[in-house]
Amino acid sequence: MRPVLISILLLVCSNVFMTFAWYAHLKELSSKPWIIAALASWCIALFEYLLQVPANRIGFTVLSVGQLKIMQEVITLTVFLPFSVWYLKEPLKLDYLWAGLCLIGAVYFIFRSKLG
């Protein structure tokens, strides 16, 4: 499998863990002290790092750090949007579209040397 594809797959999985670590406590542990939420989040974040670190190392064999970072941001928004709508029951806003369009611009500029 190509390093970019492996990196993307690992980053998607990593982002699922990261999103839960960062935001699920707002719904699930809102009545608990913040320290409990922080400890639970750190436990979840361990799995995120176990996927994210190899993803970046593999991706870095063929991509620059800037390309990895922009790819990570696109993946983050792609994972966060369904999570916030379906899990946290947040309303779907047009602002997500505008943010996505800005990220498409970022992808173009950071990857344009590879495009042509």
Side-chain angles (χ1 to χ4, degrees):
M1 198 180 301
R2 296 179 52 203
V4 173
L5 184 57
I6 293 169
S7 185
I8 290 170
L9 291 173
L10 288 171
L11 286 172
V12 167
C13 294
S14 166
N15 261 274
V16 170
F17 282 107
M18 179 197 73
T19 302
F20 272 91
W22 283 15
Y23 301 106
H25 66 86
L26 298 173
K27 178 180 178 183
E28 303 300 332
L29 299 174
S30 62
S31 63
K32 303 287 184 194
W34 72 266
I35 191 71
I36 301 297
L39 292 172
S41 293
W42 285 344
C43 291
I44 296 168
L46 170 65
F47 296 103
E48 182 232 336
Y49 283 111
L50 291 174
L51 296 169
Q52 179 266 335
V53 170
N56 283 332
R57 286 183 172 232
I58 293 166
F60 189 63
T61 63
V62 292
L63 298 171
S64 70
V65 173
Q67 290 168 331
L68 282 168
K69 181 60 181 167
I70 294 300
M71 191 169 71
Q72 171 70 30
E73 295 305 326
V74 170
I75 291 168
T76 297
L77 185 59
T78 304
V79 169
F80 178 76
L81 180 58
F83 175 85
S84 67
V85 171
W86 289 314
Y87 187 79
L88 294 177
K89 307 294 187 216
E90 293 283 318
L92 183 61
K93 296 180 181 177
L94 199 54
D95 290 343
Y96 289 122
L97 173 65
W98 305 135
L101 289 174
C102 289
L103 284 174
I104 289 170
V107 168
Y108 169 75
F109 286 113
I110 203 75
F111 282 96
R112 71 180 165 170
S113 65
K114 290 192 180 278
L115 298 174

